[in-house]
């Protein structure tokens, strides 16, 4: 698996090594074979950019914290792209957690309107707890 990070806002907190670790943790939780996973792109953008994307692809004229765009699927050459707006993060989520959230979407998970009660939320919490344990 290859992860590329494009930081258009100077966030500085998510480099390629960290993003690769986050995506590997999330996708392996889904039982995906990390050796077969293609390339993932992560872009850190400003509120205006993510609002424009949210409107274009989801018909919502408002900024959001994270968007995921699947391209070829987990075992394709280009898995997809995760777009994160660090300044739009809400619900106490860090950029790391938003990256995990986007990775779970690229792995095929959805959460519907009630994220907190979803299986995806449970897995996301488990991945973040595991990562915190590693960093001890």
């Amino acid at each position: 698996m290859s992860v590329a990070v494009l930081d258009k806002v100077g966030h500085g907190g998510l480099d390629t090594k960290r993003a690769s670790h986050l995506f590997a943790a999330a996708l392996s939780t889904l039982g995906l074979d990390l050796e077969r996973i293609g390339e993932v792109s992560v872009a850190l953008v400003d509120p205006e950019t993510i609002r424009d994307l949210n409107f274009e692809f989801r018909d919502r004229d408002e900024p959001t914290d994270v968007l995921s765009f699947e391209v070829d699927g987990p075992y394709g050459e280009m898995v997809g792209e995760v777009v994160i707006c660090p300044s739009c993060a809400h619900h106490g989520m860090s950029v790391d957690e938003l990256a995990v959230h986007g990775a779970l979407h690229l792995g095929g998970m959805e959460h519907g309107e009630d994220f907190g009660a979803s299986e995806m939320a449970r897995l996301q919490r488990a991945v973040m707890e595991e990562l915190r344990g590693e960093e001890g």
Side-chain angles (χ1 to χ4, degrees):
M1 174 176 59
S2 169
V3 180
V5 176
L6 176 60
D7 185 351
K8 293 185 168 192
V9 293
H11 176 69
L14 186 67
D15 61 16
T16 300
K17 182 178 178 182
R18 180 69 183 164
S20 296
H21 187 66
L22 295 168
F23 274 77
L27 296 174
S28 65
T29 298
L30 297 174
L32 296 171
D33 179 356
L34 297 180
E35 295 297 318
R36 294 181 51 213
I37 292 179
E39 183 178 338
V40 176
S41 173
V42 181
L44 303 176
V45 301
D46 60 35
E48 182 179 349
T49 300
I50 206 158
R51 183 196 58 78
D52 291 347
L53 291 168
N54 203 21
F55 183 69
E56 181 177 347
F57 292 98
R58 297 178 64 223
D59 203 27
R60 294 186 181 181
D61 192 13
E62 60 190 13
T64 189
D65 50 4
V66 60
L67 293 169
S68 298
F69 300 97
E70 183 179 312
V71 177
D72 297 325
Y75 297 135
E77 183 177 341
M78 178 62 180
V79 177
E81 181 167 19
V82 174
V83 181
I84 297 170
C85 179
S87 65
C88 295
H90 58 283
H91 306 298
M93 284 195 205
S94 65
V95 169
D96 283 4
E97 191 164 359
L98 293 173
V100 167
H101 185 93
L104 291 172
H105 274 306
L106 292 182
M109 296 213 72
E110 294 295 331
H111 52 73
E113 292 299 317
D114 188 3
F115 171 72
S118 69
E119 174 67 9
M120 184 175 170
R122 187 191 68 73
L123 277 176
Q124 184 172 310
R125 285 189 297 271
V127 169
M128 293 309 296
E129 286 173 18
E130 178 185 321
L131 289 166
R132 281 189 283 275
E134 288 176 4
E135 295 163 1

